[in-house]
Every structure is written in C-alpha cells, then in structure tokens.
mmCIF file of all heavy atoms in Angstrom:
data_model
loop_
_atom_site.group_PDB
_atom_site.id
_atom_site.type_symbol
_atom_site.label_atom_id
_atom_site.label_comp_id
_atom_site.label_asym_id
_atom_site.label_seq_id
_atom_site.Cartn_x
_atom_site.Cartn_y
_atom_site.Cartn_z
ATOM 1 N N LEU N 2 -21.317 -4.725 -2.264
ATOM 2 C CA LEU N 2 -20.976 -3.774 -3.316
ATOM 3 C C LEU N 2 -21.754 -4.096 -4.583
ATOM 4 O O LEU N 2 -21.964 -5.263 -4.909
ATOM 5 C CB LEU N 2 -19.480 -3.839 -3.624
ATOM 6 C CG LEU N 2 -18.535 -3.435 -2.508
ATOM 7 C CD1 LEU N 2 -17.091 -3.661 -2.942
ATOM 8 C CD2 LEU N 2 -18.749 -1.990 -2.110
ATOM 9 N N LEU N 3 -22.183 -3.063 -5.297
ATOM 10 C CA LEU N 3 -22.839 -3.254 -6.591
ATOM 11 C C LEU N 3 -21.818 -3.465 -7.695
ATOM 12 O O LEU N 3 -22.103 -4.096 -8.704
ATOM 13 C CB LEU N 3 -23.716 -2.044 -6.925
ATOM 14 C CG LEU N 3 -24.908 -1.798 -6.004
ATOM 15 C CD1 LEU N 3 -25.608 -0.490 -6.390
ATOM 16 C CD2 LEU N 3 -25.879 -2.955 -6.073
ATOM 17 N N TYR N 4 -20.622 -2.868 -7.515
ATOM 18 C CA TYR N 4 -19.564 -2.904 -8.528
ATOM 19 C C TYR N 4 -18.227 -3.073 -7.823
ATOM 20 O O TYR N 4 -18.104 -2.780 -6.645
ATOM 21 C CB TYR N 4 -19.494 -1.588 -9.327
ATOM 22 C CG TYR N 4 -20.824 -1.039 -9.744
ATOM 23 C CD1 TYR N 4 -21.409 0.022 -9.061
ATOM 24 C CD2 TYR N 4 -21.509 -1.574 -10.821
ATOM 25 C CE1 TYR N 4 -22.627 0.532 -9.451
ATOM 26 C CE2 TYR N 4 -22.730 -1.069 -11.219
ATOM 27 C CZ TYR N 4 -23.283 -0.016 -10.526
ATOM 28 O OH TYR N 4 -24.491 0.491 -10.909
ATOM 29 N N GLN N 5 -17.221 -3.468 -8.564
ATOM 30 C CA GLN N 5 -15.861 -3.447 -8.035
ATOM 31 C C GLN N 5 -15.456 -1.980 -7.870
ATOM 32 O O GLN N 5 -15.808 -1.147 -8.708
ATOM 33 C CB GLN N 5 -14.907 -4.165 -8.989
ATOM 34 C CG GLN N 5 -15.090 -5.665 -9.009
ATOM 35 C CD GLN N 5 -14.808 -6.285 -7.640
ATOM 36 O OE1 GLN N 5 -13.847 -5.941 -6.974
ATOM 37 N NE2 GLN N 5 -15.686 -7.179 -7.218
ATOM 38 N N PRO N 6 -14.718 -1.652 -6.822
ATOM 39 C CA PRO N 6 -14.302 -0.262 -6.631
ATOM 40 C C PRO N 6 -13.599 0.295 -7.864
ATOM 41 O O PRO N 6 -12.749 -0.358 -8.459
ATOM 42 C CB PRO N 6 -13.339 -0.357 -5.439
ATOM 43 C CG PRO N 6 -13.832 -1.554 -4.682
ATOM 44 C CD PRO N 6 -14.286 -2.525 -5.742
ATOM 45 N N GLY N 7 -14.030 1.489 -8.285
ATOM 46 C CA GLY N 7 -13.459 2.154 -9.438
ATOM 47 C C GLY N 7 -14.081 1.764 -10.765
ATOM 48 O O GLY N 7 -13.794 2.363 -11.786
ATOM 49 N N ALA N 8 -14.958 0.759 -10.772
ATOM 50 C CA ALA N 8 -15.548 0.291 -12.032
ATOM 51 C C ALA N 8 -16.794 1.076 -12.422
ATOM 52 O O ALA N 8 -17.097 1.206 -13.600
ATOM 53 C CB ALA N 8 -15.892 -1.196 -11.938
ATOM 54 N N ALA N 9 -17.535 1.588 -11.456
ATOM 55 C CA ALA N 9 -18.780 2.313 -11.724
ATOM 56 C C ALA N 9 -19.122 3.124 -10.487
ATOM 57 O O ALA N 9 -18.467 3.018 -9.451
ATOM 58 C CB ALA N 9 -19.902 1.346 -12.082
ATOM 59 N N TRP N 10 -20.173 3.926 -10.611
ATOM 60 C CA TRP N 10 -20.606 4.772 -9.492
ATOM 61 C C TRP N 10 -22.115 4.706 -9.357
ATOM 62 O O TRP N 10 -22.836 4.701 -10.356
ATOM 63 C CB TRP N 10 -20.189 6.218 -9.717
ATOM 64 C CG TRP N 10 -20.827 7.165 -8.741
ATOM 65 C CD1 TRP N 10 -21.921 7.959 -8.953
ATOM 66 C CD2 TRP N 10 -20.437 7.393 -7.395
ATOM 67 N NE1 TRP N 10 -22.235 8.668 -7.833
ATOM 68 C CE2 TRP N 10 -21.326 8.327 -6.842
ATOM 69 C CE3 TRP N 10 -19.435 6.891 -6.583
ATOM 70 C CZ2 TRP N 10 -21.229 8.785 -5.538
ATOM 71 C CZ3 TRP N 10 -19.354 7.356 -5.282
ATOM 72 C CH2 TRP N 10 -20.231 8.289 -4.783
ATOM 73 N N SER N 11 -22.576 4.660 -8.134
ATOM 74 C CA SER N 11 -23.999 4.825 -7.848
ATOM 75 C C SER N 11 -24.111 5.462 -6.473
ATOM 76 O O SER N 11 -23.238 5.273 -5.628
ATOM 77 C CB SER N 11 -24.749 3.494 -7.894
ATOM 78 O OG SER N 11 -24.295 2.638 -6.875
ATOM 79 N N TYR N 12 -25.164 6.236 -6.282
ATOM 80 C CA TYR N 12 -25.375 6.839 -4.974
ATOM 81 C C TYR N 12 -25.746 5.759 -3.990
ATOM 82 O O TYR N 12 -26.439 4.811 -4.320
ATOM 83 C CB TYR N 12 -26.475 7.901 -5.040
ATOM 84 C CG TYR N 12 -26.018 9.163 -5.695
ATOM 85 C CD1 TYR N 12 -26.293 9.419 -7.030
ATOM 86 C CD2 TYR N 12 -25.276 10.101 -4.980
ATOM 87 C CE1 TYR N 12 -25.851 10.576 -7.641
ATOM 88 C CE2 TYR N 12 -24.835 11.264 -5.584
ATOM 89 C CZ TYR N 12 -25.129 11.494 -6.904
ATOM 90 O OH TYR N 12 -24.690 12.632 -7.514
ATOM 91 N N GLY N 13 -25.279 5.892 -2.785
ATOM 92 C CA GLY N 13 -25.562 4.911 -1.754
ATOM 93 C C GLY N 13 -25.293 5.501 -0.388
ATOM 94 O O GLY N 13 -25.291 6.726 -0.212
ATOM 95 N N PRO N 14 -25.032 4.673 0.569
ATOM 96 C CA PRO N 14 -24.875 5.139 1.951
ATOM 97 C C PRO N 14 -23.546 5.823 2.250
ATOM 98 O O PRO N 14 -23.349 6.317 3.344
ATOM 99 C CB PRO N 14 -24.992 3.840 2.762
ATOM 100 C CG PRO N 14 -24.478 2.791 1.834
ATOM 101 C CD PRO N 14 -24.968 3.218 0.466
ATOM 102 N N GLN N 15 -22.643 5.885 1.262
ATOM 103 C CA GLN N 15 -21.306 6.383 1.543
ATOM 104 C C GLN N 15 -21.269 7.806 2.076
ATOM 105 O O GLN N 15 -20.457 8.118 2.952
ATOM 106 C CB GLN N 15 -20.370 6.212 0.345
ATOM 107 C CG GLN N 15 -20.844 6.792 -0.954
ATOM 108 C CD GLN N 15 -21.685 5.830 -1.768
ATOM 109 O OE1 GLN N 15 -22.501 5.097 -1.244
ATOM 110 N NE2 GLN N 15 -21.499 5.847 -3.071
ATOM 111 N N LEU N 16 -22.117 8.708 1.586
ATOM 112 C CA LEU N 16 -22.101 10.077 2.090
ATOM 113 C C LEU N 16 -22.571 10.105 3.542
ATOM 114 O O LEU N 16 -22.043 10.863 4.354
ATOM 115 C CB LEU N 16 -22.960 11.007 1.232
ATOM 116 C CG LEU N 16 -22.894 12.481 1.606
ATOM 117 C CD1 LEU N 16 -21.464 13.005 1.518
ATOM 118 C CD2 LEU N 16 -23.795 13.312 0.717
ATOM 119 N N GLY N 17 -23.530 9.272 3.879
ATOM 120 C CA GLY N 17 -23.979 9.197 5.268
ATOM 121 C C GLY N 17 -22.891 8.700 6.194
ATOM 122 O O GLY N 17 -22.708 9.202 7.309
ATOM 123 N N ILE N 18 -22.133 7.716 5.738
ATOM 124 C CA ILE N 18 -21.037 7.176 6.545
ATOM 125 C C ILE N 18 -19.934 8.226 6.689
ATOM 126 O O ILE N 18 -19.445 8.484 7.797
ATOM 127 C CB ILE N 18 -20.496 5.877 5.927
ATOM 128 C CG1 ILE N 18 -21.570 4.779 6.004
ATOM 129 C CG2 ILE N 18 -19.208 5.430 6.621
ATOM 130 C CD1 ILE N 18 -21.273 3.552 5.184
ATOM 131 N N LEU N 19 -19.542 8.841 5.582
ATOM 132 C CA LEU N 19 -18.522 9.882 5.632
ATOM 133 C C LEU N 19 -18.988 11.044 6.512
ATOM 134 O O LEU N 19 -18.214 11.583 7.296
ATOM 135 C CB LEU N 19 -18.203 10.387 4.229
ATOM 136 C CG LEU N 19 -17.186 11.528 4.151
ATOM 137 C CD1 LEU N 19 -15.843 11.106 4.721
ATOM 138 C CD2 LEU N 19 -17.051 11.990 2.713
ATOM 139 N N GLY N 20 -20.248 11.406 6.383
ATOM 140 C CA GLY N 20 -20.792 12.483 7.204
ATOM 141 C C GLY N 20 -20.712 12.177 8.683
ATOM 142 O O GLY N 20 -20.356 13.035 9.496
ATOM 143 N N ALA N 21 -21.023 10.940 9.063
ATOM 144 C CA ALA N 21 -20.939 10.552 10.471
ATOM 145 C C ALA N 21 -19.503 10.620 10.974
ATOM 146 O O ALA N 21 -19.248 11.076 12.099
ATOM 147 C CB ALA N 21 -21.501 9.141 10.661
ATOM 148 N N VAL N 22 -18.546 10.197 10.141
ATOM 149 C CA VAL N 22 -17.132 10.272 10.526
ATOM 150 C C VAL N 22 -16.723 11.730 10.723
ATOM 151 O O VAL N 22 -16.106 12.088 11.733
ATOM 152 C CB VAL N 22 -16.240 9.580 9.465
ATOM 153 C CG1 VAL N 22 -14.770 9.868 9.724
ATOM 154 C CG2 VAL N 22 -16.502 8.086 9.442
ATOM 155 N N ILE N 23 -17.073 12.588 9.769
ATOM 156 C CA ILE N 23 -16.712 14.012 9.861
ATOM 157 C C ILE N 23 -17.356 14.653 11.082
ATOM 158 O O ILE N 23 -16.699 15.369 11.840
ATOM 159 C CB ILE N 23 -17.115 14.757 8.572
ATOM 160 C CG1 ILE N 23 -16.198 14.332 7.421
ATOM 161 C CG2 ILE N 23 -17.063 16.274 8.765
ATOM 162 C CD1 ILE N 23 -16.624 14.833 6.064
ATOM 163 N N GLU N 24 -18.640 14.414 11.299
ATOM 164 C CA GLU N 24 -19.340 15.036 12.413
ATOM 165 C C GLU N 24 -18.753 14.598 13.756
ATOM 166 O O GLU N 24 -18.690 15.388 14.693
ATOM 167 C CB GLU N 24 -20.830 14.718 12.346
ATOM 168 C CG GLU N 24 -21.515 15.459 11.211
ATOM 169 C CD GLU N 24 -22.963 15.060 11.002
ATOM 170 O OE1 GLU N 24 -23.445 14.110 11.657
ATOM 171 O OE2 GLU N 24 -23.622 15.706 10.162
ATOM 172 N N ASN N 25 -18.298 13.359 13.853
ATOM 173 C CA ASN N 25 -17.709 12.875 15.101
ATOM 174 C C ASN N 25 -16.272 13.351 15.281
ATOM 175 O O ASN N 25 -15.811 13.500 16.405
ATOM 176 C CB ASN N 25 -17.774 11.354 15.175
ATOM 177 C CG ASN N 25 -19.161 10.877 15.534
ATOM 178 O OD1 ASN N 25 -19.623 11.112 16.634
ATOM 179 N ND2 ASN N 25 -19.841 10.247 14.604
ATOM 180 N N ALA N 26 -15.560 13.577 14.186
ATOM 181 C CA ALA N 26 -14.153 13.975 14.271
ATOM 182 C C ALA N 26 -13.963 15.491 14.316
ATOM 183 O O ALA N 26 -12.925 15.959 14.792
ATOM 184 C CB ALA N 26 -13.386 13.409 13.071
ATOM 185 N N ASP N 27 -14.938 16.263 13.849
ATOM 186 C CA ASP N 27 -14.780 17.718 13.769
ATOM 187 C C ASP N 27 -14.721 18.319 15.175
ATOM 188 O O ASP N 27 -15.677 18.210 15.941
ATOM 189 C CB ASP N 27 -15.952 18.334 12.989
ATOM 190 C CG ASP N 27 -15.816 19.836 12.843
ATOM 191 O OD1 ASP N 27 -14.677 20.328 12.690
ATOM 192 O OD2 ASP N 27 -16.848 20.537 12.883
ATOM 193 N N PRO N 28 -13.614 18.979 15.520
ATOM 194 C CA PRO N 28 -13.503 19.549 16.865
ATOM 195 C C PRO N 28 -14.502 20.674 17.130
ATOM 196 O O PRO N 28 -14.780 20.993 18.283
ATOM 197 C CB PRO N 28 -12.059 20.063 16.935
ATOM 198 C CG PRO N 28 -11.575 20.138 15.529
ATOM 199 C CD PRO N 28 -12.409 19.184 14.728
ATOM 200 N N GLN N 29 -15.044 21.276 16.067
ATOM 201 C CA GLN N 29 -16.028 22.348 16.242
ATOM 202 C C GLN N 29 -17.448 21.816 16.362
ATOM 203 O O GLN N 29 -18.381 22.578 16.588
ATOM 204 C CB GLN N 29 -15.921 23.335 15.091
ATOM 205 C CG GLN N 29 -14.581 24.050 15.045
ATOM 206 C CD GLN N 29 -14.481 24.987 13.869
ATOM 207 O OE1 GLN N 29 -15.476 25.539 13.413
ATOM 208 N NE2 GLN N 29 -13.274 25.168 13.367
ATOM 209 N N GLY N 30 -17.631 20.502 16.140
ATOM 210 C CA GLY N 30 -18.948 19.898 16.294
ATOM 211 C C GLY N 30 -19.944 20.272 15.211
ATOM 212 O O GLY N 30 -21.155 20.210 15.433
ATOM 213 N N ARG N 31 -19.453 20.644 14.024
ATOM 214 C CA ARG N 31 -20.351 21.034 12.938
ATOM 215 C C ARG N 31 -21.008 19.818 12.310
ATOM 216 O O ARG N 31 -20.442 18.733 12.275
ATOM 217 C CB ARG N 31 -19.577 21.795 11.861
ATOM 218 C CG ARG N 31 -19.021 23.119 12.338
ATOM 219 C CD ARG N 31 -18.097 23.733 11.336
ATOM 220 N NE ARG N 31 -16.849 22.965 11.308
ATOM 221 C CZ ARG N 31 -15.777 23.310 10.626
ATOM 222 N NH1 ARG N 31 -15.779 24.400 9.892
ATOM 223 N NH2 ARG N 31 -14.686 22.582 10.655
#
C-alpha cells in the first residue's frame, strides 16, 4: 500500500481487480 486505507487516494490496480471479480460473478457474462 502507498497509504493507510482512507488516508489518501491514487490510481492503481484496484479497478482491474474489481473488474475481474465483477466479470467472473456477473451471470450475464458482461
């Protein structure tokens, strides 16, 4: 981590990780 959670924000791999979770969990396969 670059910062303690909630202390600051920076773009990183989180959208890619969330995207992979959504794509695998979405029953429509979107």
Side-chain angles (χ1 to χ4, degrees):
L2 296 176
L3 295 175
Y4 316 102
Q5 288 298 316
W10 169 260
S11 65
Y12 285 98
Q15 54 272 40
L16 186 59
I18 294 168
L19 178 61
V22 170
I23 289 171
E24 288 174 354
N25 283 293
D27 182 36
Q29 296 178 30
R31 295 171 288 187

